[in-house]
Amino acid sequence: MSELLVAARVTRALLVCGVIAGPLYVLVSVTEALTRDGFDLARHQWSLLSNGDLGWVHIANLVVTGLLTVAFAVGLRRVLRPGRGGTWVPRLLGVYGLSLAAAGVFRADPAMGFPPGTPEGAAEVTWRGVLHFVAGGIGFVCLVVACLLVAGRFAAEGRQRWARFSRTTGVLFLAGFVAVAAGAGAAWSNLAFTAAVVLAWSWVSALAAHLTNR
């Protein structure tokens, strides 16, 4: 087997990790949200699922999905270089993947009555909760910038549909993040952010599938 064929297979396997990451994260999170006692999709962010007796499920989901995203970033570097965004897009998505894994290790603080028994009022802020928030914030910014850089590359190549998809994903994800940060637990802001997360993962998986089939 030639070295080129081996390299191509390795690259394809790395890109497939990106195809898997999005559906895995969303499917596991939605399943948890619908089955965990006391969890309300309109009130609670998915990160809270890291708490409680079954919190290990969401922690594992974050860590595994994060590592799959890092693997995808490595594959992305192989297919995008040389070219516009070929250096920074993989780096940004790699940091996003690491931030997911870190958000799993440093779990969010219990809040808003979840898990059951948690006070409804202001939650206790721990150093783990602070690091969870910091990791998430860094990762989300990296994801937004990566979307916009990919949009620029596709636009330069004349692939306007992919450019619009990537640009829209970046803008809407940023809007969702700002909404949940400013919404003070309002149902509309939480649901908007959840929708933005699903859109972002759809973009990651669609991009990975597109590049795998090229």
Side-chain angles (χ1 to χ4, degrees):
M1 186 180 297
S2 69
E3 291 184 5
L4 288 177
L5 182 56
V6 171
R9 290 186 174 181
V10 170
T11 299
R12 180 180 177 83
L14 292 169
L15 294 175
V16 168
C17 289
V19 177
I20 297 171
L24 175 65
Y25 181 77
V26 173
L27 179 61
V28 173
S29 297
V30 170
T31 301
E32 290 181 277
L34 295 177
T35 58
R36 293 283 301 275
D37 183 38
F39 192 88
D40 185 348
L41 276 166
R43 298 183 64 234
H44 300 135
Q45 297 176 33
W46 287 353
S47 293
L48 293 178
L49 291 165
S50 295
N51 295 288
D53 293 340
L54 294 175
W56 65 269
V57 175
H58 197 68
I59 291 172
N61 190 28
L62 284 165
V63 172
V64 171
T65 304
L67 295 178
L68 286 171
T69 304
V70 171
F72 168 55
V74 175
L76 201 59
R77 184 176 185 273
R78 290 172 171 240
V79 297
L80 292 185
R81 293 185 68 184
R84 185 172 180 174
T87 298
W88 279 104
V89 170
R91 288 179 180 176
L92 290 166
L93 287 179
V95 173
Y96 174 59
L98 291 175
S99 78
L100 290 171
V105 174
F106 305 110
R107 67 179 184 272
D109 292 321
M112 301 177 67
F114 186 85
T118 301
E120 286 287 344
E124 178 186 359
V125 178
T126 67
W127 65 271
R128 290 186 180 85
V130 171
L131 289 178
H132 176 90
F133 180 79
V134 171
I138 292 173
F140 293 158
V141 170
C142 288
L143 177 60
V144 170
V145 176
C147 286
L148 298 180
L149 289 178
V150 171
R153 180 181 177 119
F154 282 138
E157 294 176 352
R159 300 157 70 186
Q160 297 305 322
R161 289 184 179 179
W162 269 102
R164 286 193 295 271
F165 179 29
S166 301
R167 189 178 303 112
T168 300
T169 298
V171 171
L172 291 181
F173 187 80
L174 177 60
F177 180 46
V178 172
V180 79
W188 69 267
S189 63
N190 193 57
L191 291 173
F193 180 64
T194 299
V197 168
V198 173
L199 173 62
W201 278 119
S202 298
W203 175 78
V204 169
S205 292
L207 177 64
H210 174 67
L211 295 175
T212 299
N213 294 326
R214 286 184 63 181

